[in-house]
Amino acid sequence: MFVQISKEEYKREILKKAWYQTNNIIWSIVFIYPILFTIVDFVYSNDIWLQFAIVRIITVLIILGLYNFFQTKKYNYRSLLHLCFFFLSLTSAILCNIVKLEAQLIYFLTYSAILLFFNLQVFWEPINSVIQTLMAILLLAIFYNLLSEYPLDLVVSTGGNFFFVIAFISCLIPNARYKVIAREVRSQILIEKSNDQLKDQNRDINEKNNIIDSQYEQLRKLDDQKNSFINIAGHDLKNLIGQIIMSNNMLKEEDYRLSSDQKEMSSYISESAEKMQYMLNKLMDVKEIESPEMKFNMEIFDINAEVLHVFKGLQETAQMKNIHLVDNILKLPLNVKLDRVFAGQVFQNLLSNAIKFSQTNNNIKIVTSLQRQKFVFEIIDEGVAIGQQELDMMFNKLKTLNDASASIESRLGLGLSIAKLMTKELGGEMMYRSDDNGNYFRVEFYVIN
């Protein structure tokens, strides 16, 4: 987070800080100067304390009036401080030159205290303090010539030397003070602007969190609707399958009237219906297949035989669309330990979808092989590509595709997404692609022999 400070911002904050320090100086003078220094006058110059008490009060009133005037007119605070110091310096310079010799040390020290107080509190460029010090020395020199009755060396030795040393040292203070306060002002501006940025970012985060919460709630409702739909559809399908099984059983009771082909078809209907019933019991809730508690009926079987069974079951469907299924299924038995129904449904879903979306007069090649102790099932369709993006959507659970073509096929990705989930839960791997070469699907399972 990078924060920049404009010159206008910096000048504005510097001025605010300068006026804050000026306020401290003015009000300290108003409340402390007349009382504290009048006490000094009463103790060390008892004969003139009353007159100078009045002078100090008048000085404070003048300073207060200047302060209000400068604030109203928004004049430069430096001029105000120079004027205030001039009036304080005027009184102190006179006293230093008219009091008795034994009291001069005290008054030189009080004069030094005023100068030191200014330089410790004021916030301005060091040259201003140099001007004040020169002004103080000039006033002392003028009133020494006008009012003092003591030799210069005596005046210097009885307090003047302390004043000059303190005045010189105090001129060094504003330079360091000005740099420190200016740095503090810059840091304060940076902190305030950083805080403002953080507040803005926090507000944006809260707004985004609210949007996320709203979207999450919408997704939760959609998920509930999806589960409700699957439950309703599942129960309806169970009733339909029950009717199919019942009707098929009635046919079997009169199998003497059926031909051998009809008996074979009846057997195939019975087997398929039982598989569908088994799967519906497992898949009434789609979330169950993703759950670690999903229970599979694991058994050892020849997976090539299962693929061949699925292949033969879908040949007639392919012929109805004038699609030729090419059999490259291994005749070598390969045993796996899987749930036979779910494994068969994986192949069934992939092949039926390949037939569903393939073009008329197209060839679809079904290949099985043994590669590195893995059974490999492949569907190779070299016709028009479905599209990688559409396949990605079809393999996402319950995603319905918007068909851009004039095809009347309903592209519901539930079958493919279930096949992908079942493959993963059974410990296998699935991959697919769709490009200029056509459509390709691949499933791998470990063999046990």
Side-chain angles (χ1 to χ4, degrees), residues 1 22 81 128 207 249 260 265 340 342 373 375 380:
M1 183 171 58
T22 301
L81 290 174
N128 294 283
E207 290 175 357
N249 288 337
S260 58
M265 290 300 297
R340 182 195 292 266
F342 275 92
Q373 287 301 109
F375 163 78
I380 303 169

Side-chain angles (χ1 to χ4, degrees), residues 166-182:
I166 294 172
F168 173 75
I169 293 173
S170 67
C171 284
L172 303 176
I173 296 172
N175 183 38
R177 180 176 174 77
Y178 185 82
K179 291 179 180 179
V180 170
I181 294 180

Side-chain angles (χ1 to χ4, degrees), residues 98-112:
I98 66 171
V99 297
K100 295 176 182 178
L101 189 64
E102 57 270 17
Q104 280 188 352
L105 176 61
I106 296 300
Y107 280 94
F108 272 116
L109 290 176
T110 56
Y111 196 0
S112 302

Side-chain angles (χ1 to χ4, degrees), residues 74 311 371 411 414 430:
K74 299 187 182 302
F311 178 87
Q371 300 178 21
R411 297 190 173 190
L414 181 59
M430 178 183 290

